[in-house]
Amino acid sequence: MPDGSGVNELYPSLNNLDQNSFNLSEMPCIIRNGLGNELSLIQMSGLEHLSEVEINNIVNYVLNDMNNLSLEFTIQQTEETLKDCSE
Amino acid sequence: MKLSTFTSLICALIYLISCSVDQQKLPILGRMNIEGTDTILHKIPKFNFINQDSNYVTNQDLEPYIYVSDFFFISCPSICPLVKKQMLRVYEKYKDNPKIKMVSHTIDPKRDTPKKLSKYAEKLKIDTDKWMFLTGDKGEILDIADDYFVAAFEDADAPGGFDHSGKIILTDTKGHIRAFAEGTDSDDVTDFLKDIDLLLKEYE
């Protein structure tokens, strides 16, 4: 949902993330490449057209505006992460 | 002249609105057909679909109930999550009311098998006796979407491969459509919940 809330277990919430809730460093890769495949129930299409800067902004928006984690990804971190995404 | 036409139009409109408020009854939506001396009201035609447990579901199974329906597909990346959240609001409000059922039709029967629909319902944490997920022949599904006044068609350019509207529809026990809401608009669904209450009064 636009406010980051999910729908039961179907669409996991993006609120209430903490530093241990999942591997936060995967977030740039998930945004770019999506999640799941044809057979999985939970799927997200990749947003391949987004630039590194845009992905970086989204990650920081989710971490800070939706969760107040006071964590910030630098553009260098995002670029580095995106280089190592496994398909 | 123009102004007076406009004024009388407004008056007629106010009259119509006040009428419907007075009667406190939902209209029967859709085109009316006159055949001889009979007035035929629009209704959902006979159908035969398969639910999340691979059992057949027909009109007869729904006949004792009023029901709320929508069209979706599991891999839908655009409006479906928003619509499902609103459907869940309807579910939460009426889950203990034995007069209401809910029906979600997938428009992607090729990928959304009964097994997958069953898993979907499980993740949604709902009772499938109350809220069923239906699949079937694609042509029949798209045809019945027309009968619900929902636009649904395959479109390679649309996100996920299908274009469809996020309408939530309220049907009475006779298969007449009585109200609908835009499933992406939470305020509209708030009004829709009032419509459901109004229809329920007819069956008290």
Side-chain angles (χ1 to χ4, degrees):
Chain A
M1 304 304 114
D3 61 357
S5 65
V7 181
N8 289 350
E9 285 178 15
L10 197 57
Y11 304 106
S13 169
L14 282 177
N15 303 133
N16 310 316
L17 294 181
D18 63 54
Q19 300 199 35
N20 308 313
S21 58
F22 78 108
N23 197 349
L24 293 179
S25 62
E26 281 177 23
M27 214 191 293
C29 296
I30 293 175
I31 293 170
R32 173 162 284 176
N33 298 325
L35 206 59
N37 59 35
E38 282 278 293
L39 297 169
S40 12
L41 196 61
I42 294 173
Q43 301 172 9
M44 182 188 130
S45 358
L47 301 166
E48 288 156 17
H49 57 284
L50 296 182
S51 69
E52 279 82 0
V53 175
E54 286 166 324
I55 292 178
N56 190 61
N57 286 341
I58 295 172
V59 171
N60 285 324
Y61 175 73
V62 171
L63 292 180
N64 296 296
D65 290 63
M66 288 180 177
N67 290 284
N68 297 314
L69 277 181
S70 309
L71 269 177
E72 199 163 333
F73 264 57
T74 64
I75 180 67
Q76 285 82 9
Q77 269 175 298
T78 300
E79 278 171 353
E80 281 302 310
T81 313
L82 285 172
K83 264 183 218 158
D84 297 331
C85 288
S86 51
E87 282 291 322
Chain B
M1 182 63 189
K2 262 187 184 165
L3 188 67
S4 69
T5 318
F6 182 69
T7 318
S8 52
L9 251 171
I10 293 289
C11 286
L13 208 66
I14 290 173
Y15 175 71
L16 276 172
I17 291 169
S18 62
C19 257
S20 60
V21 169
D22 280 347
Q23 289 172 347
Q24 288 290 315
K25 211 173 165 187
L26 296 173
I28 290 175
L29 303 178
R31 184 200 288 261
M32 244 184 246
N33 277 323
I34 313 283
E35 280 178 22
T37 51
D38 290 336
T39 308
I40 314 288
L41 298 165
H42 177 79
K43 65 185 282 186
I44 299 302
K46 282 192 173 152
F47 62 79
N48 191 359
F49 291 120
I50 297 166
N51 74 4
Q52 70 288 329
D53 302 320
S54 298
N55 293 325
Y56 283 115
V57 174
T58 68
N59 307 59
Q60 284 182 331
D61 298 304
L62 285 172
E63 232 156 52
Y65 308 99
I66 74 170
Y67 64 95
V68 173
S69 41
D70 76 331
F71 289 80
F72 83 113
F73 59 107
I74 292 177
S75 56
C76 164
S78 50
I79 58 170
C80 305
L82 292 168
V83 177
K84 274 294 164 293
K85 183 115 181 172
Q86 295 304 322
M87 283 289 276
L88 209 54
R89 267 180 81 194
V90 177
Y91 175 81
E92 291 298 337
K93 181 164 180 197
Y94 298 104
K95 63 181 171 193
D96 298 322
N97 188 320
K99 290 176 183 153
I100 297 192
K101 294 269 184 191
M102 294 177 69
V103 179
S104 286
H105 295 268
T106 175
I107 52 173
D108 185 9
K110 200 172 148 198
R111 286 185 285 182
D112 297 351
T113 56
K115 195 176 160 195
K116 239 172 137 181
L117 290 171
S118 165
K119 243 180 162 177
Y120 185 90
E122 200 180 294
K123 293 265 183 202
L124 204 53
K125 297 201 163 299
I126 52 102
D127 173 7
T128 48
D129 270 343
K130 181 83 188 172
W131 181 355
M132 58 191 100
F133 291 82
L134 301 184
T135 180
D137 176 76
K138 189 155 82 192
E140 279 173 41
I141 297 169
L142 298 183
D143 278 351
I144 209 154
D146 263 353
D147 289 304
Y148 283 110
F149 311 123
V150 170
F153 47 90
E154 229 168 327
D155 176 1
D157 292 334
F162 290 91
D163 229 341
H164 69 115
S165 77
K167 282 206 168 52
I168 298 181
I169 309 108
L170 176 65
T171 308
D172 67 18
T173 57
K174 294 197 168 67
H176 297 306
I177 296 172
R178 304 298 294 272
F180 60 85
E182 216 48 74
T184 48
D185 180 345
S186 146
D187 292 341
D188 204 20
V189 174
T190 304
D191 289 339
F192 183 71
L193 295 175
K194 291 178 194 149
D195 288 341
I196 298 177
D197 288 336
L198 210 53
L199 183 59
L200 278 171
K201 281 196 183 141
E202 291 181 25
Y203 298 97
E204 271 169 6

